Amino acid sequence: MDRPLTRNIHADRRPIDLRGYRDNGGYEGLRVGLGLSPADCLQRIKDSNLRGRGGAGFPTGLKWSFVPMGEDCSPGHKYLICNADEMEPGTFKDRLLLECDPHQLIEGMILAAYTIGADVAYIFIRSEYHIAAQRLREGIVDCEREGLLGDNIQGSGYSLHMHVHASAGRYICGEETALISSLEGKRANPRAKPPFPQVSGLWGRPTIVNNVETLSNIAHIIERGPQWFNDLGLTEDAGTKMYGVSGRVKNPGCWELPMGTPIRTVLEEYAGGMADGYELRGFLPGGGSTDFLTADHLDLAMDYDTIGKAGSRLGTGTLIVLDDATCPVGFVKNLMDFFAQESCGFCTPCRDGLPWSAQVLDDIENGQGKPEDLDTLERQVEFIGAIGNTHCALAPGAMEPLQSALKYFRADFEAHINQGCCPWKARQ
Amino acid sequence: MNEPAPSLINALSEAELAAIDAEIAHMPQRSGAAIDALKIVQEHRGWVSDASLAAIADHLHMSAAELDGIATFYNLIFRRPVGRKVILLCNSVSCWMLGSDCLTQQIRDRLQIDFGETSKDGEYTLLPVTCLGACDKAPVMLVGDDLHESVTEDRVRELFDQPGAPNG
Amino acid sequence: MATIRIDQQEYTVRDGDNLLQTCLSLGLDLPYFCWHPAMGSIGACRQCAVLQYQNEEDQRGRLVMGCMTPVSDGAIFSLQGDKAQRFRKTIVESLMLNHPHDCPVCAEGGECHLQDMTVMTGHRDRSYRGRKNTHRNQYLGPLIHHEMNRCITCYRCTRYYRDYAGGTDLAAMAAHDHIYFGRHEDGVLESEFAGNLVEVCPTGVFTDRQLVHQYTRKWDLQSAPSVCTACAVGCNIVVGERYGKVKRVHNRFNAEVNGYFLCDRGRFGAGFVNLESRLEFPALRRPDGRYDALDHHRALEHALRAMEAEKVAAVGSPRASVEANHLLRLLVGNARFYPGWSRGEQGAAIRAMELLRDTEATVPDLAQIETADAVLILGEDVTNTSPRVALSLRQAVRNRARDMAGELRLLPWQDAAIRNLAQDTRNPLHIAAVSNTRLDDVAASHTCLAPPDIARLGAAVLEELLPGEGQHFGDPTVDALAQQIARDLRQAKRPLIIAGAGYGNTTIMEMAAELAAALCHGGCEAMLSLCQGEANSMGLALLTGTGGARVHRLEDMIVQGDIDTLLVLENDVERRCSRRGFKLLRKHVKTLITLDSLDTATTSLSDLVLPTASFAESEGTLVNHAGRAQRYFPAFPPANERRPAWFWLLALAHERGIEATSRLHQFDEITRHCAASIPALAGITEAAPRSQFRAHGLRVPRQTHRYSGRTAMRAALSVHEPKQPQDEETPLAFSMEGSQRDTPGALLPYFWSPGWNSNQSLHRYQKAVGEPLRGGTAGSRLLYRQGHATLERAAMPGAFEPRENQWYLVPRHAIFGSDELSALSPPLRELTHPAWLEITPAAAQALQVIDGDGLIIENERLRGYRLEVRINPSLVAGCAAYSAGHAGTFGLLPGEWVTLQKDPDWQRREPAVIASDRGGVA
Ligand SMILES: Cc1cc2nc3c(=O)[nH]c(=O)nc-3n(C[C@H](O)[C@H](O)[C@H](O)COP(=O)(O)O)c2cc1C
Ligand code: SF4
Ligand code: FES
């Protein structure tokens, strides 16, 4: 099986340096890419059908194509930003790529920046990933020394300066426009779109924000071509994907598998199935802001469209498993508390609606719930859950676990209310 | 007539200033380095006092109010003194499922502190943190710069029962 | 134009507006919080949600935010759709989770936008059972009260304070539902425009601190349309009264003048009207120096007797109405009428009037100032002399941002997007002043020069625009700057030159006028604005004219001493002449008669004092700095024997048998007479409708429909409700009966509309949101672009030559303190510093003084001046800046050379208790 993203990653997670990376064929993609025109590079990415791995799955080539080029672009900087803020509950895939193969990301970023004509690139990394940040900084210095970054890269006439920015901690910084606000040294409030960052982003200039995993794919695609990438996927979607599983499974972890690998394969073959004595009740397929799926969905392919059709989202591709010993109300409440706490506080439904939902869930979980509380929750789901009703996608994401829990685990909510206590706690 | 008070500028050390200026160098506006500057000063001093905040604001040509608005937005800028080591205990869903609540309770009991508090000896501050991106090794926590994975009760005991630690 | 459908009804609306704005303009009720007509949209509160349908077939629709949705042809919306209504109700319910429901004790109650919106959405019962968040309030100074628990986090306060007004000390703190709007520590809000927070905040977080302590509900205020008298800009205000006291001043929208905002001098400066020390009865001086109260008959008798003397003269006033000055002049004759300015002021005021009258350039209103795309301020500290202009300049420098936005096809109301795009791109604003100014933060350049050199800079710029005599400044940096300024001005479509009377230097104003002329010559729409001293400086200058009576200097007149009887109209002569002159006043004038509302140094010297009504109790016309005549109306009748100055003067004129006044009986007739006899003032009759005006046959009511307790108010005196006073002079009534519909802009006493109890009801009075009032914009412009004066190209003024051990005096204005009347207002008094003299650090070192020490100021003319030292590092070398208009600096003249010396007997003031030291409790 071709595992381009993790080919340099070892079980002991030792990092690979520039020398090792090059010895293993690294920066070959860059050589190829710099030989092509930016337009040709863009075409390759478009043809590869690469979709953003940050959660939304937006086609990467299409996104890049909105960046004004040449004459259409007013003079000034353009920016490429790598989103390495990974804070979505249950998500732990970017960390692996960042810590173990920094040059794969750097190479991808140089090519991405070259394609869109960016002259400055930032890696926006969460503060807790200090080891990764350190390795990236070292990687950048090494590249500068070898002419892979800086002015006139490899004699191509193309220049790029790359910086690592460590965040000061807030989940909302992962939202691309909030990230841009934060990079400008401001409060990380998301921005209304349009204008999209592609035309007015960092410092008002054209900007592309991509996820770590997305950018880590770029060099491979440029080097080996779109067809190769398309062929990697098992279904419509192209490439490989970093999948992960956490929760009460035998072997939680993170693996690179072909896009479209069935859930069952990930869960049973790679994660080893449920831990002994536990039953699967459901799972969030792609991090804390995706809808629950249940055992009925185990045979679905883990790709954007299939999961979407099943009523959830592929999200980050990292499953969080709910077992039968865990109270689903408590599970959802934990997430709701998280989202309420991480709301940037800009728009009303999120700032006040999420704490309100969390408070209702808290009452239910503590046996203080009332039947009409479920109506309140339904109302919140209806109004906060729809994209567009809030300023950014945080709040709708927060509603996804709740809305699907109300669908699949309604009886558990009702049991809490009827019994006046949490059945799981009572059982202990 | 709001002349910068020179004593405040001087309040930042050479090393801090150098690091901040390096960030400013690639920003179109000085204030763009606000978060970096707060973090740099925090790295040196453990936290950002009112005086530090004023000094940074001055150096960045911005107002203390604006900078405080930024400082208080972020989780990891400390506007109050913290212990020598900050314990960031993940309480997000995967860790919660695997018992982070028990760990929290245990640490609370051992160090006699609640979330947001610093142990009497000034060694530890306990803070909750959102998902640390190591959910496959849940429950996890960061103590200072060290990530502790699959933390058990024994491990907590080992970590915090060292001689000198309270209740040790 | 676009045709859209809202709830099955078709409307033709302006393309590209946002839907919220469109709905409000159409008179449809759509609730909102974060949007503001002057600040645009950010989409934070999500209150303005409506359903949008993709096409005819679409039955479900999608929720969109009205304020973020541009209307375009064919769009289909629903405000009433069930889903939209439920969503909006849920939003209000969410906002109310933490709201304290303390309306009964909240100063905002009854005019609270949050109350209105809550009722509008139909939210009633909360289902939330959790605890409410609580916040600590801050002490923000004497003007603004802070009650953070009422906050609904709409972000309007910081958007206004920081983004719109350029304030830096108020920010959003923390995140999620802990967001806090405040300072980083307790303390007085720094912005001169902080008071607008009171009107910008949709609930009671920021309220008028004076009102908090003795609040009156909006519905219980008796209000009248008025004009701010605190500077020459003439912002339109609403004065609200109860129990014979001015309770508060609110903004009165005028599309061409102040728009939605006032400055704090204006908003909080009317407190002098309520002072205990105000005169209520005519007073006659006894030989022992004490006064007897008289009734007005006897007072007039005394006055008439005194006026029978041979040499009778009168002193007018730039803070009195055109009408009062006109009558005064009729009373004593042109030759014996002295306008009442000081030596320096007079030349500046008259010259400013001439320059504006004769210029080919546009003399801009504030709204036009906001359209400028390059600005040069030559020697005027705008924020402190004409504060509201500074707020407009902050908008002008953002025009380039709007242009950039246009290129990306962003719409002007997409506020956050435009700010993100443009970042700190600004139109060029160049400032030359004697020291730093409060606009420097948005200026492309700010240069500190002495006034003569500021004029030279003007000449150097002129040289760049119209190369001629090779008049260069002589200093390479300044000449490079002059080149840059000229380049910026030349490239602009609507360049604006601002100067003014602030430094008492007419050459600077002349340079400004020449620059404007040169720019007009170059084919652009240049603008020339000259700031002036007082509310009616321009009116008085137009009245006085250039060629009319040879106006002598007040000082000379007194000193020559050929006056038997002197009438002083609303003027404190002490402020206008030297100490010697003022001392001689008593000595050389046999009978001094003063008409004033306040107890001033002059009234204290007078033989007879006639108490006049303040602007809040009388009517009059003022002409603002741009030549706009505006009428103010009484909000309440003057108590006791107070009378409008015009009333006293008219009575005197009648008794004296002054022919010209024999047919004048009413205020309107005076106005008309004045207009008819002085061509320059012909337009003043258009400033407001005549007293006969009736809307739908009715007068305009000063009291709201819900005005309550008319009997109860006086119950302690009598249970009989007295007859309401009649107003013979204006179309307004001291009553709740009447009609406010289609009221002309000049007559609107307050803004209220069914369902809209807050000031947000304003849109119901506008042609469309943000546009002029439906009843017409108040005021009439007296200066048309009539001038084609070919200005003599002035010779290069002499350079400023600093002297050894001598200092060149320049006036330094303070927003709080330099204006006579507003400085007396109690909350502003707290913010006013005692008189001071600014010197450079080098001078301080040479004189061996530090901040807070005293200096003795002397020259051959001046003796006995002692002022507190303030060290100002930005002050230009060789100059010393005195606090203009402060007791202690009267008589100092701009441009005088003085010697300074440390005052050995100076008592340092106790450091004032800083409010924040009191721990926020005030
Ligand atoms: C609340 C929120 C948090 C997000 N956090 C992350 C994140 O941590 N990392 C990430 O790559 N994308 C995150 N995203 C998605 C980004 O907004 C953006 O879509 C992504 O970085 C684009 O990259 P891609 O096109 O490569 O997927 C987040 C989105 C939201 C709404
Ligand atoms: S949904 Fe609104 S409040 Fe929540 S994070 Fe996004 S912008 Fe902020
Ligand atoms: S007014 Fe539209 S979102 Fe606030």
Side-chain angles (χ1 to χ4, degrees):
Chain A
M1 202 189 302
D2 207 347
R3 290 195 169 115
L5 293 176
T6 51
R7 70 191 167 137
N8 290 326
I9 299 180
H10 306 272
D12 62 1
R13 297 197 169 187
R14 79 184 115 91
I16 186 164
D17 63 5
L18 180 54
R19 159 87 71 76
Y21 183 71
R22 283 193 126 164
D23 288 349
N24 214 8
Y27 289 105
E28 193 48 31
L30 180 63
R31 195 189 55 76
V32 175
L34 291 180
L36 300 171
S37 71
D40 288 341
C41 288
L42 177 63
Q43 197 56 47
R44 284 194 187 195
I45 300 302
K46 275 187 176 168
D47 293 343
S48 75
N49 289 320
L50 171 65
R51 296 175 67 170
R53 305 296 198 232
F58 193 83
T60 305
L62 185 60
K63 188 182 206 171
W64 293 4
S65 69
F66 298 135
V67 175
M69 298 294 288
E71 300 263 287
D72 293 341
C73 187
S74 53
H77 294 294
K78 286 195 256 181
Y79 297 98
L80 173 78
I81 302 172
C82 168
N83 187 343
D85 196 48
E86 191 165 69
M87 274 209 214
E88 177 86 3
T91 302
F92 49 101
K93 62 181 185 74
D94 294 341
R95 173 180 219 138
L96 193 68
L97 298 173
L98 290 161
E99 283 183 2
C100 303
D101 200 355
H103 282 287
Q104 174 171 253
L105 175 62
I106 294 171
E107 185 182 5
M109 286 181 70
I110 302 171
L111 282 164
Y114 173 71
T115 308
I116 61 166
D119 56 341
V120 182
Y122 284 97
I123 301 171
F124 187 100
I125 189 164
R126 67 179 295 188
S127 171
E128 294 89 340
Y129 285 8
H130 58 91
I131 295 174
Q134 190 48 37
R135 290 181 185 160
L136 286 164
R137 288 199 180 97
E138 285 163 13
I140 290 170
V141 171
D142 291 346
C143 285
E144 283 167 349
R145 202 181 39 238
E146 304 214 0
L148 294 161
L149 272 174
D151 293 332
N152 191 14
I153 295 173
Q154 303 289 292
S156 64
Y158 173 66
S159 305
L160 176 70
H161 295 271
M162 193 176 287
H163 308 278
V164 176
H165 173 91
S167 171
R170 271 257 164 235
Y171 168 64
I172 191 61
C173 292
E175 198 283 335
E176 61 180 354
T177 58
L179 183 153
I180 288 170
S181 299
S182 190
L183 257 188
E184 289 179 6
K186 301 177 177 143
R187 294 162 61 85
N189 290 127
R191 299 175 173 186
K193 295 180 261 193
F196 289 88
Q198 292 93 309
V199 288
S200 173
L202 186 61
W203 305 112
R205 301 293 309 161
T207 303
I208 284 289
V209 181
N210 274 128
N211 172 255
V212 172
E213 186 184 343
T214 314
L215 290 167
S216 295
N217 274 306
I218 301 299
H220 303 291
I221 297 171
I222 296 290
E223 184 187 346
R224 298 162 82 169
Q227 194 51 49
W228 162 82
F229 192 73
N230 270 296
D231 291 345
L232 289 176
L234 299 182
T235 53
E236 290 285 283
D237 279 331
T240 60
K241 175 82 193 75
M242 302 295 292
Y243 293 112
V245 180
S246 66
R248 289 208 169 93
V249 291
K250 285 208 183 73
N251 177 31
C254 179
W255 313 274
E256 182 186 13
L257 300 172
M259 181 62 97
T261 302
I263 299 172
R264 191 183 295 283
T265 312
V266 179
L267 203 56
E268 291 178 359
E269 236 172 77
Y270 288 86
M274 295 303 291
D276 292 337
Y278 296 97
E279 293 280 323
L280 175 76
R281 289 211 66 203
F283 57 91
L284 306 181
S289 53
T290 56
D291 284 88
F292 276 107
L293 294 177
T294 65
D296 295 346
H297 301 105
L298 282 179
D299 292 315
L300 297 183
M302 285 277 276
D303 66 26
Y304 293 102
D305 294 345
T306 314
I307 303 293
K309 280 197 198 106
S312 185
R313 292 188 303 119
L314 179 62
T316 58
T318 44
L319 289 84
I320 311 173
V321 172
L322 171 70
D323 59 80
D324 59 342
T326 301
C327 169
V329 177
F331 185 103
V332 173
K333 181 178 111 60
N334 174 283
L335 285 168
M336 194 60 77
D337 282 340
F338 161 81
F339 288 115
Q341 181 70 26
E342 292 304 317
S343 164
C344 80
F346 187 77
C347 69
T348 308
C350 175
R351 179 190 61 244
D352 293 323
L354 299 187
W356 183 2
S357 306
Q359 196 273 328
V360 171
L361 287 167
D362 192 56
D363 272 0
I364 296 176
E365 173 70 356
N366 291 321
Q368 315 278 306
K370 301 198 170 119
E372 59 273 21
D373 285 349
L374 294 183
D375 302 334
T376 303
L377 292 178
E378 297 281 8
R379 181 154 58 114
Q380 303 283 10
V381 164
E382 178 190 0
F383 286 139
I384 305 178
I387 295 271
N389 290 4
T390 52
H391 184 59
C392 84
L394 182 143
M399 285 295 140
E400 293 189 17
L402 173 61
Q403 110 186 333
S404 46
L406 285 171
K407 183 158 105 196
Y408 294 120
F409 311 119
R410 195 175 187 93
D412 296 311
F413 284 78
E414 285 164 352
H416 280 76
I417 294 170
N418 296 338
Q419 295 169 25
C421 66
C422 170
W424 276 265
K425 282 197 194 124
R427 228 177 277 160
Q428 277 171 4
Chain B
M1 282 204 307
N2 290 328
E3 287 305 307
S7 61
L8 291 183
I9 290 181
N10 294 343
L12 296 179
S13 71
E14 297 277 310
E16 288 167 328
L17 283 174
I20 294 171
D21 289 342
E23 295 296 335
I24 294 174
H26 60 87
M27 301 279 175
Q29 289 173 24
R30 289 178 82 83
S31 61
I35 297 166
D36 305 281
L38 288 164
K39 291 192 70 178
I40 287 164
V41 169
Q42 179 162 299
E43 240 162 65
H44 283 83
R45 309 175 183 198
W47 66 295
V48 181
S49 68
D50 286 351
S52 311
L53 185 95
I56 302 168
D58 232 53
H59 188 63
L60 298 179
H61 301 178
M62 60 197 298
S63 73
E66 214 172 321
L67 188 62
D68 208 11
I70 293 159
T72 52
F73 182 90
Y74 292 96
N75 289 329
L76 297 176
I77 302 293
F78 307 135
R79 289 287 278 115
R80 274 185 285 164
V82 291
R84 217 170 54 76
K85 283 185 176 165
V86 176
I87 308 170
L88 294 178
L89 189 105
C90 176
N91 65 354
S92 283
V93 69
S94 302
C95 288
W96 171 79
M97 277 194 291
L98 287 143
S100 64
D101 279 355
C102 298
L103 296 183
T104 310
Q105 199 49 50
Q106 208 191 341
I107 295 174
R108 276 180 179 164
D109 292 347
R110 301 235 140 243
L111 301 179
Q112 293 288 303
I113 48 173
D114 213 330
F115 276 134
E117 294 178 356
T118 303
S119 59
K120 277 217 189 69
D121 59 358
E123 193 65 10
Y124 294 108
T125 299
L126 178 63
L127 295 174
V129 72
T130 60
C131 181
L132 277 173
C135 320
D136 50 341
K137 308 284 182 346
V140 295
M141 63 181 178
L142 262 171
V143 181
D145 272 350
D146 302 328
L147 182 67
H148 299 271
E149 301 180 326
S150 308
V151 185
T152 57
E153 296 202 7
D154 286 345
R155 183 83 187 111
V156 170
R157 222 168 283 132
E158 225 172 90
L159 273 170
F160 301 116
D161 278 4
Q162 289 142 356
N167 299 348
Chain C
M1 300 304 274
T3 305
I4 62 169
R5 227 163 53 196
I6 304 175
D7 291 314
Q8 276 81 49
Q9 178 86 38
E10 230 166 60
Y11 300 95
T12 306
V13 299
R14 199 164 58 194
D15 215 359
D17 276 358
N18 68 65
L19 179 67
L20 170 60
Q21 194 178 338
T22 302
C23 287
L24 296 176
S25 293
L26 290 171
L28 303 173
D29 282 347
L30 181 58
Y32 62 89
F33 291 108
C34 63
W35 172 82
H36 185 284
M39 298 191 285
S41 311
I42 54 163
C45 72
R46 318 307 275 183
Q47 185 60 66
C48 61
V50 301
L51 283 164
Q52 177 164 25
Y53 301 91
Q54 222 126 46
N55 49 38
E56 299 288 341
E57 286 72 53
D58 182 0
Q59 293 297 311
R60 293 185 51 212
R62 183 172 67 92
L63 283 176
V64 295
M65 297 310 128
C67 71
M68 300 294 278
T69 307
V71 295
S72 57
D73 208 32
I76 311 174
F77 301 103
S78 166
L79 272 50
Q80 267 146 39
D82 170 61
K83 188 164 176 176
Q85 293 212 30
R86 282 192 303 125
F87 182 83
R88 297 197 298 258
K89 200 164 156 178
T90 306
I91 292 292
V92 166
E93 187 171 359
S94 307
L95 290 171
M96 293 296 246
L97 297 187
N98 293 300
H99 192 75
H101 291 103
D102 60 344
C103 311
V105 296
C106 175
E108 192 84 358
E111 55 178 318
C112 174
H113 186 60
L114 177 59
Q115 283 178 336
D116 286 348
M117 297 300 103
T118 307
V119 173
M120 192 179 285
T121 56
H123 166 62
R124 223 191 75 105
D125 300 305
R126 55 161 52 209
S127 58
Y128 179 67
R129 298 190 298 269
R131 286 166 58 103
K132 292 180 185 180
N133 291 334
T134 50
H135 301 277
R136 187 184 150 277
N137 300 324
Q138 288 183 323
Y139 172 77
L140 298 179
L143 309 182
I144 308 271
H145 181 79
H146 191 223
E147 189 68 53
M148 198 34 220
N149 289 333
R150 298 178 184 141
C151 179
I152 55 161
T153 326
C154 69
Y155 289 85
R156 266 187 174 192
C157 56
T158 44
R159 289 181 61 221
Y160 164 73
Y161 193 87
R162 197 186 59 172
D163 298 349
Y164 192 89
T168 58
D169 60 328
L170 182 78
M173 313 272 172
H176 54 95
D177 62 344
H178 290 175
I179 289 197
Y180 185 93
F181 297 96
R183 300 187 80 249
H184 78 293
E185 60 186 17
D186 284 35
V188 181
L189 282 173
E190 286 165 10
S191 168
E192 297 80 4
F193 308 100
N196 293 313
L197 289 172
V198 170
E199 292 190 60
V200 162
C201 171
T203 177
V205 178
F206 299 98
T207 49
D208 181 334
R209 201 173 168 82
Q210 302 303 306
L211 194 65
V212 168
H213 295 304
Q214 40 177 315
Y215 64 67
T216 301
R217 297 300 179 208
K218 177 178 178 177
W219 69 71
D220 279 345
L221 287 171
Q222 173 167 272
S223 307
S226 190
V227 177
C228 177
T229 59
C231 84
V233 177
C235 294
N236 291 198
I237 55 176
V238 168
V239 175
E241 174 267 359
R242 179 96 171 165
Y243 300 116
K245 298 264 183 260
V246 169
K247 290 287 184 172
R248 66 128 183 251
V249 165
H250 258 208
N251 185 68
R252 180 163 64 95
F253 180 84
N254 183 314
E256 289 170 17
V257 190
N258 44 301
Y260 289 85
F261 305 115
L262 298 174
C263 80
D264 288 0
R265 183 196 268 185
R267 181 181 297 273
F268 301 107
F272 69 89
V273 173
N274 301 339
L275 290 181
E276 292 284 317
S277 58
R278 272 199 55 197
L279 312 168
E280 281 184 276
F281 294 95
L284 186 67
R285 190 187 177 96
R286 295 197 308 222
D288 66 0
R290 298 172 65 185
Y291 285 87
D292 286 327
L294 311 175
D295 69 20
H296 64 271
H297 297 293
R298 292 207 34 227
L300 284 172
E301 273 169 31
H302 278 281
L304 286 167
R305 210 168 311 133
M307 291 186 68
E308 277 160 17
E310 194 184 327
K311 289 179 261 173
V312 180
V315 176
S317 168
R319 68 163 153 93
S321 68
V322 169
E323 287 85 357
N325 277 301
H326 177 60
L327 279 179
L328 184 67
R329 189 164 69 168
L330 289 178
L331 189 59
V332 298
N334 203 7
R336 311 289 288 171
F337 173 78
Y338 304 94
W341 281 296
S342 74
R343 219 154 102 176
E345 290 167 345
Q346 175 132 335
I350 301 279
R351 192 72 185 118
M353 179 274 289
E354 291 169 341
L355 292 169
L356 293 183
R357 182 191 61 199
D358 297 339
T359 184
E360 210 178 321
T362 301
V363 178
D365 282 313
L366 293 187
Q368 288 167 307
I369 285 180
E370 293 185 8
T371 66
D373 50 359
V375 184
L376 169 63
I377 305 180
L378 271 184
E380 184 73 16
D381 183 0
V382 179
T383 312
N384 286 307
T385 61
S386 301
R388 183 61 183 77
V389 173
L391 189 58
S392 289
L393 288 172
R394 286 190 180 274
Q395 313 319 310
V397 295
R398 296 201 59 241
N399 285 322
R400 185 166 289 172
R402 284 181 274 264
D403 292 346
M404 287 171 73
E407 284 162 27
L408 278 192
R409 284 206 290 281
L410 294 177
L411 296 160
W413 43 266
Q414 291 180 304
D415 184 58
I418 296 177
R419 287 180 195 278
N420 289 331
L421 173 69
Q423 300 280 332
D424 60 355
T425 310
R426 294 192 197 95
N427 297 68
L429 162 65
H430 296 281
I431 304 176
V434 295
S435 83
N436 283 354
T437 76
R438 295 276 284 165
L439 280 171
D440 294 349
D441 60 320
V442 289
S445 80
H446 60 98
T447 321
C448 296
L449 295 171
D453 281 346
I454 293 175
R456 284 169 59 80
L457 171 65
V461 175
L462 189 63
E463 176 67 31
E464 298 295 333
L465 290 177
L466 289 178
E469 278 109 81
Q471 299 187 336
H472 294 292
F473 191 92
D475 172 325
T477 25
V478 182
D479 278 317
L481 177 66
Q483 272 175 17
Q484 180 62 46
I485 294 172
R487 207 161 31 237
D488 286 341
L489 293 174
R490 212 184 298 113
Q491 278 169 7
K493 287 202 201 70
R494 301 179 55 74
L496 164 65
I497 313 291
I498 298 185
Y503 294 156
N505 182 316
T506 46
T507 318
I508 298 179
M509 292 197 288
E510 284 159 4
M511 273 311 162
E514 287 195 43
L515 283 171
L519 290 164
C520 283
H521 199 71
C524 61
E525 291 178 61
M527 296 185 273
L528 172 66
S529 182
L530 299 177
C531 298
Q532 282 147 73
E534 283 153 280
N536 201 26
S537 293
M538 190 65 163
L540 188 59
L542 288 167
L543 183 110
T544 312
T546 319
R550 257 310 325 122
V551 185
H552 298 262
R553 291 176 300 212
L554 180 62
E555 177 120 18
D556 300 347
M557 175 193 82
I558 298 169
V559 175
Q560 282 153 19
D562 62 344
I563 300 171
D564 295 325
T565 298
L566 182 67
L567 271 90
V568 177
L569 167 65
E570 300 187 332
N571 204 338
D572 180 6
V573 179
E574 190 192 24
R575 303 172 68 89
R576 313 280 182 180
C577 59
S578 67
R579 288 185 177 173
R580 178 163 161 267
F582 190 65
K583 276 206 199 102
L584 292 177
L585 178 65
R586 189 56 264 179
K587 212 159 136 199
H588 289 191
V589 174
K590 291 205 191 82
T591 310
L592 179 62
I593 303 176
T594 305
L595 295 88
D596 212 337
S597 60
L598 288 160
D599 192 9
T600 66
T602 306
T603 51
S604 304
L605 285 185
S606 304
D607 299 286
L608 177 68
V609 183
L610 302 176
T612 59
S614 71
F615 81 102
E617 307 148 291
S618 62
E619 49 282 301
T621 307
L622 303 172
V623 183
N624 84 348
H625 67 143
R628 168 185 291 268
Q630 304 190 103
R631 187 83 34 83
Y632 57 89
F633 293 97
F636 57 109
N640 294 320
E641 297 278 353
R642 288 176 191 154
R643 293 290 179 275
W646 66 260
F647 183 94
W648 290 116
L649 294 168
L650 189 60
L652 287 173
H654 283 165
E655 295 298 330
R656 299 271 305 152
I658 307 286
E659 175 60 28
T661 65
S662 63
R663 285 173 205 217
L664 309 183
H665 298 287
Q666 282 205 304
F667 173 76
D668 272 349
E669 290 160 358
I670 308 169
T671 311
R672 258 177 287 155
H673 185 269
C674 180
S677 44
I678 305 165
L681 291 170
I684 59 172
T685 50
E686 307 298 315
R690 309 173 15 176
S691 62
Q692 290 88 346
F693 173 88
R694 297 292 179 271
H696 305 274
L698 297 170
R699 284 173 177 269
V700 181
R702 287 179 173 90
Q703 298 166 357
T704 69
H705 299 35
R706 300 169 182 174
Y707 195 79
S708 67
R710 226 151 67 174
T711 316
M713 263 200 288
R714 294 173 43 92
L717 306 174
S718 159
V719 291
H720 298 291
E721 186 191 330
K723 191 167 168 290
Q724 279 304 106
Q726 299 297 305
D727 187 345
E728 303 296 335
E729 309 298 340
T730 81
L732 295 135
F734 295 107
S735 155
M736 38 209 281
E737 291 86 34
S739 165
Q740 250 218 66
R741 254 187 311 147
D742 309 323
T743 306
L747 293 181
L748 276 175
Y750 55 83
F751 299 100
W752 177 85
S753 178
W756 297 82
N757 297 293
S758 77
N759 59 359
Q760 311 283 308
S761 55
L762 173 63
H763 68 265
R764 291 293 164 95
Y765 292 82
Q766 293 171 318
K767 293 191 177 127
V769 164
E771 289 188 6
L773 297 170
R774 266 191 276 138
T777 299
S780 68
R781 290 292 303 264
L782 305 183
L783 299 173
Y784 302 97
R785 241 196 292 175
Q786 61 209 155
H788 297 286
T790 37
L791 283 165
E792 289 294 302
R793 180 139 174 190
M796 188 73 171
F800 175 69
E801 312 259 359
R803 299 186 189 167
E804 196 137 335
N805 299 324
Q806 284 197 48
W807 282 266
Y808 183 90
L809 283 185
V810 282
R812 176 95 160 133
H813 294 264
I815 179 168
F816 308 133
S818 292
D819 169 61
E820 179 186 359
L821 300 184
S822 62
L824 296 170
S825 174
L828 295 191
R829 213 154 37 187
E830 271 194 59
L831 298 172
T832 301
H833 298 274
W836 71 87
L837 187 77
E838 280 168 38
I839 53 173
T840 61
Q845 201 169 22
L847 295 162
Q848 306 257 303
V849 290
I850 57 170
D851 263 320
D853 280 350
L855 277 174
I856 302 175
I857 300 141
E858 286 182 336
N859 63 17
E860 58 286 355
R861 195 179 73 83
L862 303 171
R863 283 286 171 272
Y865 281 87
R866 294 182 151 71
L867 290 174
E868 183 175 305
V869 175
R870 272 210 210 164
I871 297 173
N872 178 353
S874 69
L875 185 68
V876 60
C879 291
Y882 63 93
S883 55
H886 291 64
T889 65
F890 301 153
L892 297 181
L893 289 178
E896 264 186 301
W897 289 95
V898 295
T899 59
L900 302 176
Q901 155 193 355
K902 184 171 178 168
D903 182 352
D905 303 325
W906 183 260
Q907 297 282 316
R908 287 177 68 88
R909 271 190 299 137
E910 289 291 309
V913 182
I914 295 173
S916 54
D917 295 346
R918 289 185 295 205
V921 271

